[in-house]
Amino acid sequence: MSSFRSRPVETLVHGIPATDGGGVQLLRVLGQNLQRRLDPFLMLDEFRSDDPNDYGAGFPDHPHRGFETVTYMLAGRMRHQDNHGNAGLLTAGGVQWMTAGRGLVHSEMPEQEDGLMHGFQLWLNLPSASKMIEPWYRDIPEAEIPVVRLDSGVSIRVVAGSAEGVRGAMTRERTEPLYLDVHLPAGSRYDAVVDAAFNAFVYVYAGVITLGEPARAVGERQMALLGNAAGTDGVSLQAETGARALVIAGRPLREPIAQYGPFVMNSTEELDQAISDYRAGLF
Ligand code: CO
């Protein structure tokens, strides 16, 4: 027995099938009903299909203001392009970290006509003081995402935050997001350290993982929302057969959230301004 104290699973969440962009079929794992509980995270979608009818239409030109999007590809290729002159190709294992800030218009289009497209898009809120900063983005290829390999066979891709003393590809000051992709071989256990003040969840995308204390089995394509129990060290993950999961956590902003589609601000007045600025071509 280790002395590691794990958070409990507070709720198991089943994603809701949704259609977005030009008609992309996806699973909305974290929706608007959980935005306050999982502050600073606003949304998590999983797109996963080998049927081009489910993804081929992509996400044609659309605006964003007031937050960041983090797209993590496991399989497939997605080309993005924005109205500030940025363009790039997101390939398997890579991440695109985009800060919409005061606003941009971009497209995210699959660059494949068949085969599996699998990945995630997470929306991370910006503090009110940063919502109107200049838009910015970074493409992080797979080779630039640190991987921690433990003797147990567990491997951890550190997209953001840090794990086992290894700093991830991205850090963010105010919300300090932790974004880990944990691969557990059969019979292994991993204790992920998570600040007790953070809101946190685990999304199992392959296999079954027994999570938390008291232990609870979480199946494929289920999200475990973790309780914020005082004095805990993080969350324990155990797999009887091979399994994979995203472990995501962040420091809550505790600011009002006002959302209208792709705009996330602090008040309805700011949303009205976002809509009129977008219509006036100011993005
Ligand atoms: Co977008």
Side-chain angles (χ1 to χ4, degrees):
M1 277 303 285
S2 70
S3 58
F4 186 92
R5 274 198 63 202
S6 178
R7 296 182 181 214
V9 173
E10 180 177 297
T11 320
L12 276 187
V13 178
H14 296 259
I16 295 167
T19 305
D20 211 336
V24 178
Q25 304 301 312
L26 46 81
L27 189 69
R28 184 140 298 162
V29 177
L30 193 174
Q32 268 187 299
N33 58 323
L34 292 173
Q35 286 177 341
R36 277 166 208 291
R37 177 63 189 84
L38 286 174
D39 175 17
F41 303 104
L42 300 165
M43 195 187 83
L44 177 69
D45 284 344
E46 180 185 36
F47 44 94
R48 178 182 198 165
S49 176
D50 56 11
D51 180 353
N53 293 317
D54 288 344
Y55 61 73
F59 301 87
D61 274 349
H62 59 278
H64 292 288
R65 173 180 277 185
F67 61 99
E68 301 185 280
T69 65
V70 182
T71 310
Y72 179 33
M73 292 292 285
L74 295 179
R77 294 148 61 88
M78 187 97 86
R79 181 166 296 278
H80 66 90
Q81 206 156 4
D82 71 31
N83 67 330
H84 292 252
N86 300 308
L89 182 65
L90 189 55
T91 55
V95 169
Q96 188 211 40
W97 198 291
M98 187 192 79
T99 305
R102 67 177 174 79
L104 53 69
V105 178
H106 76 159
S107 60
E108 301 157 285
M109 301 299 291
E111 197 165 271
Q112 64 189 57
E113 284 168 4
D114 50 32
L116 177 66
M117 170 79 72
H118 188 192
F120 306 94
Q121 188 168 85
L122 178 73
W123 288 13
L124 170 63
N125 209 354
L126 283 167
S128 62
S130 302
K131 282 186 176 290
M132 295 296 277
I133 59 176
E134 283 299 304
W136 179 88
Y137 93 102
R138 183 178 158 205
D139 274 324
I140 310 166
E142 182 177 26
E144 289 177 25
I145 298 172
V147 183
V148 178
R149 290 188 172 83
L150 303 175
D151 291 343
S152 59
V154 171
S155 73
I156 306 137
R157 293 178 181 198
V158 192
V159 175
S162 66
E164 305 299 313
V166 174
R167 268 175 88 108
M170 282 291 293
T171 52
R172 275 288 182 265
E173 284 181 5
R174 176 78 185 272
T175 50
E176 299 171 64
L178 175 72
Y179 191 140
L180 308 177
D181 178 7
V182 181
H183 296 192
L184 297 146
S188 67
R189 173 187 172 123
Y190 178 59
D191 294 329
V193 173
V194 180
D195 191 310
F198 287 15
N199 289 329
F201 62 94
V202 175
Y203 181 64
V204 178
Y205 70 86
V208 178
I209 297 180
T210 301
L211 272 177
E213 288 166 24
R216 201 150 161 200
V218 182
E220 187 160 317
R221 305 196 86 178
Q222 289 184 347
M223 173 175 107
L225 197 165
L226 304 176
N228 296 51
T232 51
D233 302 301
V235 59
S236 61
L237 299 88
Q238 273 183 284
E240 278 179 35
T241 56
R244 298 181 177 194
L246 305 181
V247 175
I248 295 175
R251 188 179 296 285
L253 290 166
R254 304 191 197 288
E255 292 174 345
I257 300 167
Q259 178 175 4
Y260 177 74
F263 309 129
V264 184
M265 304 301 290
N266 301 115
S267 68
T268 51
E269 291 73 18
E270 290 170 347
L271 286 181
D272 291 343
Q273 189 66 51
I275 294 161
S276 68
D277 286 353
Y278 172 56
R279 288 186 180 148
L282 297 176
F283 278 26

